[in-house]
Amino acid sequence: MNTGYSYTFWNDYGIKVPLKMDLRSHPSLLLTGASGSGKSYALKYMLSNLLENKVDITFCNFKNSADFKFMTGYKHYHTFTDCSKGLEQFYDNFKEVQGSDTEFSGMFRILIFDEYPAFVLYTTACDKKIAERYKTMISELLMLGRSYGYGVWLVMQRPDSSLLANGARDNFHLTISLGNISKEAKSMLYSGEELPQRVYKAGEGICWIDGMGLCEIKFPRILDIQSREARILNRLTDATGGKQ
């Protein structure tokens, strides 16, 4: 899967060299960056590429952001409190597959959670025990899901360890930080790494890929966003048999 492009080759030589990852070995992704850093555009770009594979997507848009409302009606699209249902269904499906003693079937299953911290904070305010259970679910999926073709994509501004139980933050296979990340975020995600001293624009930043290490990444500008969204929705409905 084409994740994005090498910042160095694009900016220095004008050559678009894709940064690719194999979903079989790299199903889980952490996307971070401040507001305006280009997270939503990057996610749409990667989602459209992800759907070129045999994949079943569950998408949780907790804040009901307008960026992803085009998915409304897709049967695995969840917003606000319904995100709990989406997470539980995804996790239960994983446990069913795990219990059947069968590993990867050829179908990837990816949970994409936009604004995951807001979901955790809201759930914690309602019921701390349930919030901890949800965090444990995410952690288990990150730690054990790869063998069965399950992955988790989390999107957030600040990657606090409190959001992920039992050190699960270390189990992402791909980490992307767009824009100019804070010192705290650098220490959380890239401790011990020598980071480039560069000012990044929206859609540019740091990328760490398991097995490849640290690099810089750049996402192309989506010129016709409505067409891209329509293609995403068509692929989603084709892959899962339609809308609700």
Side-chain angles (χ1 to χ4, degrees), residues 42-56:
L43 183 55
K44 286 179 185 178
Y45 178 80
M46 289 189 289
L47 178 57
S48 64
N49 291 336
L50 173 65
L51 288 167
E52 293 177 0
N53 299 274
K54 187 178 179 182
V55 62
D56 182 29

Side-chain angles (χ1 to χ4, degrees), residues 98-168:
Q98 187 185 42
S100 68
D101 200 28
T102 58
E103 293 198 355
F104 182 53
S105 65
M107 169 70 82
F108 293 102
R109 292 177 172 85
I110 306 295
L111 169 66
I112 302 176
F113 216 124
D114 191 31
E115 293 297 346
Y116 173 71
F119 168 76
V120 172
L121 289 172
Y122 173 83
T123 309
T124 300
C126 296
D127 191 317
K128 289 183 179 180
K129 289 185 178 180
I130 291 178
E132 289 302 315
R133 184 166 67 89
Y134 287 161
K135 287 193 287 184
T136 299
M137 285 180 182
I138 292 290
S139 297
E140 186 177 347
L141 288 164
L142 287 169
M143 293 176 179
L144 303 176
R146 177 165 62 179
S147 296
Y148 305 91
Y150 283 74
V152 177
W153 290 18
L154 298 186
V155 184
M156 61 186 77
Q157 292 191 30
R158 181 184 169 92
D160 290 307
S161 59
S162 61
L163 299 168
L164 297 161
N166 305 315

Side-chain angles (χ1 to χ4, degrees), residues 150 172 238:
Y150 283 74
F172 289 100
D238 287 346

Side-chain angles (χ1 to χ4, degrees), residues 5 13 29 78 171 199 244:
Y5 293 91
Y13 306 107
L29 178 153
H78 306 273
N171 288 274
V199 176
Q244 290 178 330

Side-chain angles (χ1 to χ4, degrees), residues 149-212:
Y150 283 74
V152 177
W153 290 18
L154 298 186
V155 184
M156 61 186 77
Q157 292 191 30
R158 181 184 169 92
D160 290 307
S161 59
S162 61
L163 299 168
L164 297 161
N166 305 315
R169 193 173 60 189
D170 296 330
N171 288 274
F172 289 100
H173 310 114
L174 174 66
T175 301
I176 299 172
S177 299
L178 297 180
N180 301 297
I181 61 175
S182 66
K183 290 182 180 180
E184 291 80 8
K186 288 178 182 178
S187 64
M188 290 176 193
L189 298 176
Y190 309 107
S191 178
E193 298 281 358
E194 186 174 346
L195 302 184
Q197 299 299 312
R198 199 190 303 275
V199 176
Y200 294 109
K201 300 176 183 177
E204 302 173 348
I206 298 294
C207 176
W208 181 86
I209 303 174
D210 187 25
M212 293 177 57

